[in-house]
Amino acid sequence: MKYICFGYFDKGKFEGMTESEQHAMFDTCFAYDDHLRANGHFAGGEALQPPETALTLYWKNGKVATTDGPYAETKEQLGGILVLEARDMNHAVTYCRNRHIRFVVSA
């Protein structure tokens, strides 16, 4: 079964890291993706652009309307998605162990 995992990170904490620490964090994420891929659990994934580049879409008078950026002012930002292949929800959760990113898992 496939599970989608939304990866959230603390933007302030990330921006407080040195460039070397940021690269190390990404290297850890990419290495884990490779581990998942090698073991048949990586079904896809993408990093997202910063929220400042986002659009909020909504219906208005029967048409799609847009507003620049997200409305929510939160400490954590959605940084990317990961699609996992797993037996069940508990199995999927075991693969979302990254000390830099908080995951929300859904079938």
Side-chain angles (χ1 to χ4, degrees):
M1 179 174 251
K2 288 188 174 47
Y3 292 85
I4 188 164
C5 308
F6 297 98
Y8 292 88
F9 70 101
D10 184 328
K11 185 178 177 188
K13 189 174 183 180
F14 179 78
E15 290 173 345
M17 292 177 167
T18 66
E19 188 174 336
S20 176
E21 290 170 328
Q22 290 175 353
H23 287 293
M25 184 187 95
F26 287 130
D27 289 345
T28 300
C29 290
F30 296 144
Y32 193 61
D33 288 350
D34 290 342
H35 170 76
L36 292 171
R37 198 175 283 110
N39 290 287
H41 298 291
F42 185 91
E46 293 294 330
L48 299 176
Q49 294 296 315
E52 297 81 29
T53 66
L55 284 177
T56 298
L57 303 173
Y58 57 96
W59 285 100
K60 184 174 183 178
N61 299 323
K63 295 181 182 179
V64 175
T66 64
T67 301
D68 288 342
Y71 282 112
E73 293 294 328
T74 63
K75 184 173 149 181
E76 292 181 326
Q77 303 294 325
L78 180 59
I81 60 167
L82 173 64
V83 182
L84 292 173
E85 186 68 42
R87 289 186 309 270
D88 54 35
M89 180 71 80
N90 290 332
H91 188 219
V93 168
T94 65
Y95 290 111
C96 293
R97 294 185 179 158
N98 184 313
R99 64 176 190 234
H100 298 293
I101 298 173
R102 180 179 66 85
F103 284 100
V104 175
V105 182
S106 180

